[in-house]
Amino acid sequence: MNATPATQPASPPREPAWTHCPYCSLQCGMGLRPTGVPETSGLPGLEVTERTAFPVNRGALCGKGRTATEVLAAGSRLTEPLVRRSPGGPLEPAGWDEALGRIAGELVRVREAHGPDASAIFGGGGLTNEKAYLLGKFARLVLGTSQIDYNGRFCMSSAAAAGIRAFGLDRGLPFPMEDIPTSGCVILVGSNPAETMPPALRYFTELRENGGKLIVVDPRRTRTAEQADLHLAPRPGTDLALALGMLHLVVAEGRTDEEYIAARTTGWDEARAAAMAHWPELVERITGVPVPQLREAVAHFCDAGSAMVLTARGPEQQAKGTDTVGAWINLTLATGRAGRPHSGYGCLTGQGNGQGGREHGQKADQLPGYRMLTDPAARAHVAGVWGVDPDTLPGPGRSAYELLDALGRDVRSLLVLASNPVVSAPRAAHVEERLRSLDFLAVCDVVLSETAALADVVLPVTQWAEEGGTLTNLEGRVLLRRKALDPPPGVRSDLSVLNALAARLGWEKGFPEDPEEVFDELRRASAGGKADYSGITYRRIAEEDGVFWPCPAPEEGGTPHPGTPRLFLDRFATPDGRARFTPVTHRPSAEEPDAEYPVLLTTGRVLAQYQSGAQTRRVAELNSAAPGPFVQLHPQLAERHGIAEGDTVAVTSRRGRALAPARVTRDIRPDTVFMPFHWPGQGRANSLTNPALDPTSRMPEFKVCAVRVERAAG
């Protein structure tokens, strides 16, 4: 750490430091320029500027990006370690030696008393690739535990599982964003980019300006749905039936691409038979989408020369999310779209490093390079890079919710980085109870989140503008985050924390603090894997505005690999190069409405807040735009319960109760209510949600559960 004041750039640049927004998976390019504000002001000393040359957002930023520097300001973030010195006592300021010594000592104590799997790590989809990589290495070597997963499991794990099953490979978008406006038709399923990633909306606007059709599938008439040529509003939890009904019509109307199916796929006969059991009138009864709208959607999709299906959390955050995404993939395969220019299936990843964060080892079943822990060759390769015996590496551990559910029982100590499960996890009150039951909880965060407030030790760590590293956006483009500012005194990076803890636990080497040194090791660990970064360097990323993986290292003296913006044009990543159809059939949600809980709840985000709100709720402009939770409900439902605009509404499920003001609107189905999930306390939407898990992806069913609503007394 140099002596540069905390509110000034480490080396004041003549032009802005070019970096990326810390929020969603677009990873919009931005510049950071010093303002010259004196340190005593408490302000961050940086302003956000446009980065028009970056191809993803071309200078555009949403309100969260524009105000991102405000969370760097003194007073809104942690600047010294906190330690709870007695059970039930307060968190008190402490030195780093005391805090790190306490964590190391507790980890040793738990391991000696209960074994290595009694200690666990819970990571985050916002961590850089370097942090995610080193976190997985720390868990498996230093702690020797199999118990590591991350909040990205709650993001797009169903899409990942379906993509691997169909294509042999998961990358959110197998093509760059620039391909969207040149497609003939896009079906956007369960996504609201107008509010969740506003700079992306221009791609869909340009699509329509170019003559393409936009179809939005969402139970609400969102800001995105308002822009669509066709809005389909299915009952929550019925996206699977909707996709199958469309495929039924494709077959019945003779719109399949038989030549493509024969040349590039397998499993069509079984998938076709499964789809044909979902005739249009049945699908209308299940989904509430009229048959004429189904036929119109099929016509738009099949009449276009090129077409895409893009999914997001709507169809994915279900206990049948993998099959639901698989049904939409089947639609793209049957019509010959996948692996062709301006066409195919893609997933709009949510978190900032939701893509890279699941590729390099912080997921329960994976090793770096998207290798699987159960693969002996993968274990041997990574163990060779790490210099250990492959047999010493633990096997797969619990998925995210299963890990949180085991806290205080099989798992006795937990280290959390970049996650706030008290707000973001399903059945959140139960998860909070589990966290409180731990023998020991340590949290690394930039702010005192609701989860950090429960911890025995809290470590203050650097933020996006105070550190370097790489992230991988929703296109599979590996990007470089540049340091623009020194952190306040007393704040360290996550890499520094792992380095110090590893040393205290007997690993003096192998956990460097320099992100580029970590990335060089990550490149070697990923080499030959599905997510091969071995040909990517910091220099290349800077010179090329990002490099798309896979990008293998060239043979000695060979030409550098150009990266892979578009996957599957020649073959899919399966052993025979063919995509796999999967026969799927509709089934009810894990929890259907009944007499006691007759209404459906779905959840999501709003424009001015992000994820659990731990950072955005500290920005005045964003809080002014979205000050708190609400319940969106249809006038018919409101009238039935005597609820008027602004009344406090009680929403109750089998897991809990939440209170929030009513927003009465015709933009939602009469059988459904919506709540955003950014807030803790009595308006915590995830107090209600169902932790029922998808059998393949282990994704909880955030998007649909049965509730009752009533006007709250007073």
Side-chain angles (χ1 to χ4, degrees), residues 105-123:
E106 291 289 344
L107 291 174
V108 169
R109 183 189 64 77
V110 167
R111 180 172 58 193
E112 290 178 348
H114 304 286
D117 275 357
S119 293
I121 290 177
F122 198 81

Side-chain angles (χ1 to χ4, degrees), residues 485-703:
L485 188 75
D486 281 335
V491 174
R492 300 186 184 182
S493 72
D494 294 290
L495 296 181
S496 174
V497 169
L498 293 175
N499 171 281
L501 287 175
R504 281 170 169 75
L505 294 169
W507 291 78
E508 295 289 341
K509 296 181 179 180
F511 294 87
E513 297 182 57
D514 177 59
E516 190 166 7
E517 187 177 347
V518 177
F519 188 75
D520 286 341
E521 183 178 305
L522 181 158
R523 292 171 57 209
R524 291 188 287 118
S526 73
K530 290 182 176 180
D532 190 334
Y533 283 33
S534 59
I536 304 175
T537 64
Y538 275 29
R539 180 176 178 178
R540 275 197 67 179
I541 298 171
E543 290 176 348
E544 301 174 29
D545 263 335
V547 181
F548 291 85
W549 71 260
C551 183
E555 298 290 335
E556 187 172 350
T559 303
H561 191 283
T564 314
R566 295 171 180 85
L567 296 168
F568 313 140
L569 295 180
D570 299 317
R571 57 177 284 125
F572 295 98
T574 55
D576 62 4
R578 291 170 173 263
R580 308 282 197 257
F581 280 99
T582 300
V584 293
T585 56
H586 175 71
R587 59 185 184 273
S589 297
E591 186 176 79
E592 289 287 306
D594 58 18
E596 188 175 3
Y597 301 98
V599 177
L600 292 168
L601 168 72
T602 192
T603 65
R605 288 168 48 188
V606 297
L607 176 62
Q609 300 289 353
Y610 182 73
Q611 303 301 79
S612 75
Q615 295 182 60
T616 51
R617 285 188 272 113
R618 288 168 167 81
V619 176
E621 178 182 328
L622 301 178
N623 266 340
S624 177
F630 58 87
V631 180
Q632 187 184 64
L633 69 167
H634 191 276
Q636 292 178 12
L637 184 62
E639 183 179 5
R640 190 182 314 148
H641 293 280
I643 296 169
E645 179 76 17
D647 285 350
T648 299
V649 178
V651 183
T652 307
S653 76
R654 290 177 173 83
R655 290 153 295 281
R657 186 171 187 258
L659 298 172
R663 288 193 184 175
V664 181
T665 174
R666 294 188 179 277
D667 290 340
I668 192 168
R669 291 174 55 95
D671 58 3
T672 301
V673 296
F674 167 84
M675 290 188 71
F677 58 76
H678 308 290
W679 290 273
Q682 66 179 15
R684 182 172 59 184
N686 277 321
S687 295
L688 308 169
T689 49
N690 191 350
L693 300 180
D694 180 288
T696 303
S697 69
R698 316 308 289 168
M699 168 74 83
E701 190 149 77
F702 286 99
K703 287 300 181 187

